[in-house]
Amino acid sequence: MANFENDAQELLKLIGGSENINAVTHCATRMRFALVNPEQADVEKIEKLASVKGTFTQAGQFQVIVGNQVSELYKEFEKASGIHGGSKEDVKHAAESNQAWWQKAMTFLAEIFAPIIPAIIVGGLILGFRNILEGIGFEALGQQVIEGVKQFTPSGEPIYNRIVDVSQFWSGVNSFLWLPAEAIFHFLPVGITWAVTRKMGTTQILGIVLGITLVSGQLLNAYAAPDAIAAGEVPFWDFGFFKLNMIGYQAQVLPAMFAGLVLSYLEIYWRKVIPEYLSMILVPFLSLLPAVILAHTILGPVGWWIGNLISSVVLAGLTGPLSWLFGAIFGALYSPLVITGLHHMSNAIDAQLIADSATHTTGLWPMIALSNIAQGSAVLAVWWMTRKDEEESQITVPSAISAYLGVTEPAMFGVNLKYMYPFVAAMIGSSVAGLIATTTGVQSNAIGVGGLPGFLVIHTDSMIMFFICMLVALIVPFIMTILFKKIGFMVGSELKFDIPFFNK
């Protein structure tokens, strides 16, 4: 107890004294402070205390990692400071005063995604494993043969068997795992509309129903929409004097978020103006039906328009005279595109490039694989800096693995966007790798598995330069993330991801 008493008194001194504390509480392993002036905290000396395993700042909260005995240190700290702790909500609200307006806006978005992060992490690991089973050809498994004919790429290279081609068991496992993966990612709009209503304090079941209307089996799947639009085969509702396309929004973020916000604001409005004795009948009807109509007439089509616009810009940039500059820009901005769900349009561009180019290759997909690696490396750096924090490792370790296997949503939503500076570091690393890739003309034979296994579909002439780009994507984000932390760049700009599953 004496050690905790001494450390508590020293911690109080190093943190700036009682007058520098707005609120304080603790969770399972950390003490959480909302400080008047965070710069007064002597981080280096605090981390040298015997009871302290590390520190970090998140959403304006200065957090001191102690471990399972945090409650003992906390009791001694209360005695030393004369401050009796509040709840997590008290600290959270007090810490908001340290946030800029843009941080508050980003925090609002973060709190929409926070409840679905555990599902995204699970889905990312599943998709990464499925990528290995069905997306990678191994030379040791032999060349692929269909109806007695050996298979080759358009450039003449042999196509090797995948694990699912030679093992019925793993083929069955791969097929079965698509069940939870589809539920998580294809039906992501359901989770988003639910999360929006949860955040806004409105009726959550209406958000779920709204989300289902965006991914209903009656609608054309979003992944098949580009080809159907090009072929003029999009199904539609015929109202006589006008027609409405029946397009789904599987895995789309913006249409779901916009629709959820419209639904919530409609419900809030109607509850104010409709008498209470009629609210049970009229409020859900007047909120849900207009939201569904707007989602399919305005919000969804606007999302598609933005996606098509981005596709046109990407195609022009990649094939134009300034492709090297485009590589740097696309490398930096691909991850933000993933956040919006508009990155799915890149598959159509890759397919067009493969079909049209003389070598039947694409220079876009390698940059996507490099962006995956960069996000994983930024997470790895966060893990390195917080490796003594068991709670944090529950998120960082699986998120890094998932990103390195080509699925970055867990890394971005679970770690990098939460702290912000790792996300910026990943963008920088991806930008440098993209610049090198386009300058040296790195090409891939097909759309393959992202992340570290991405080299398996790279054209042989580009293999050496792609490995160099991979090293850049591995090293630069890792170093930049640690450097940003040490110099304090964007440290304190963190977003509050309140995930009960992790933040106990």
Side-chain angles (χ1 to χ4, degrees), residues 1-300:
M1 183 65 70
N3 288 335
F4 287 122
E5 181 179 349
N6 292 337
D7 281 1
Q9 294 175 352
E10 192 65 18
L11 176 60
L12 176 63
K13 174 183 175 182
L14 295 174
I15 214 164
S18 301
E19 62 275 11
N20 194 38
I21 301 174
N22 270 332
V24 60
T25 187
H26 74 90
C27 59
T29 61
R30 313 167 193 163
M31 289 183 63
R32 304 186 179 200
F33 296 88
L35 301 178
V36 177
N37 183 3
E39 294 183 359
Q40 288 187 18
D42 192 332
V43 175
E44 290 187 8
K45 291 184 179 180
I46 290 174
E47 291 183 343
K48 291 180 180 178
L49 294 176
S51 302
V52 175
K53 297 180 180 179
T55 66
F56 64 94
T57 302
Q58 177 185 341
Q61 294 183 30
F62 180 69
Q63 302 196 25
V64 179
I65 305 169
V66 178
N68 295 330
Q69 294 182 304
V70 64
S71 60
E72 298 300 324
L73 177 60
Y74 183 73
K75 290 177 184 177
E76 295 300 321
F77 187 85
E78 281 188 317
K79 294 177 184 178
S81 65
I83 299 175
H84 295 287
S87 66
K88 292 181 183 179
E89 285 301 312
D90 293 335
V91 176
K92 175 182 174 182
H93 291 312
E96 287 178 353
S97 62
N98 295 326
Q99 291 183 304
W101 67 267
W102 64 269
Q103 290 176 271
K104 294 178 181 178
M106 291 295 290
T107 298
F108 177 83
L109 295 177
E111 290 181 350
I112 291 175
F113 285 100
I116 58 180
I117 287 175
I120 291 176
I121 290 175
V122 172
L125 293 175
I126 291 174
L127 287 184
F129 184 60
R130 290 185 79 248
N131 281 345
I132 296 175
L133 294 178
E134 70 173 10
I136 302 176
F138 295 94
E139 186 174 357
L141 299 178
Q143 188 172 354
Q144 195 175 96
V145 178
I146 299 178
E147 297 181 352
V149 179
K150 292 185 177 181
Q151 300 299 300
F152 296 88
T153 66
S155 59
E157 297 180 6
I159 298 176
Y160 296 109
N161 283 318
R162 305 161 299 170
I163 294 176
V164 295
D165 296 325
V166 299
S167 171
Q168 184 57 51
F169 172 76
W170 289 114
S171 177
V173 169
N174 181 67
S175 179
F176 178 79
L177 289 178
W178 178 238
L179 182 65
E182 180 187 41
I184 293 169
F185 288 109
H186 275 216
F187 295 91
L188 181 63
V190 179
I192 291 175
T193 50
W194 162 76
V196 170
T197 55
R198 176 181 179 270
K199 167 63 181 173
M200 298 293 289
T202 52
T203 308
Q204 295 175 27
I205 187 60
L206 295 182
I208 293 172
V209 172
L210 175 61
I212 292 173
T213 68
L214 296 176
V215 295
S216 169
Q218 300 179 40
L219 307 172
L220 174 66
N221 191 292
Y223 288 91
D227 291 338
I229 292 173
E233 298 175 352
V234 178
F236 55 86
W237 288 287
D238 191 345
F239 295 94
F241 59 94
F242 76 95
K243 297 176 182 179
L244 183 61
N245 287 339
M246 299 172 63
I247 296 179
Y249 298 96
Q250 286 79 4
Q252 298 294 306
V253 174
L254 289 181
M257 187 181 300
F258 294 157
L261 288 171
V262 167
L263 172 66
S264 295
Y265 281 118
L266 282 171
E267 180 176 337
I268 292 171
Y269 170 77
W270 289 121
R271 288 199 180 280
K272 291 179 180 179
V273 301
I274 292 177
E276 187 174 351
Y277 62 88
L278 293 175
S279 64
M280 180 65 73
I281 299 173
L282 295 182
V283 170
F285 180 80
L286 294 176
S287 302
L288 179 62
L289 189 58
V292 173
I293 294 172
L294 288 171
H296 286 278
T297 57
I298 298 176
L299 305 178

Side-chain angles (χ1 to χ4, degrees), residues 442-457:
V442 173
Q443 299 286 309
S444 68
N445 298 315
I447 302 170
V449 183
L452 294 176
F455 73 93
L456 293 166
V457 295

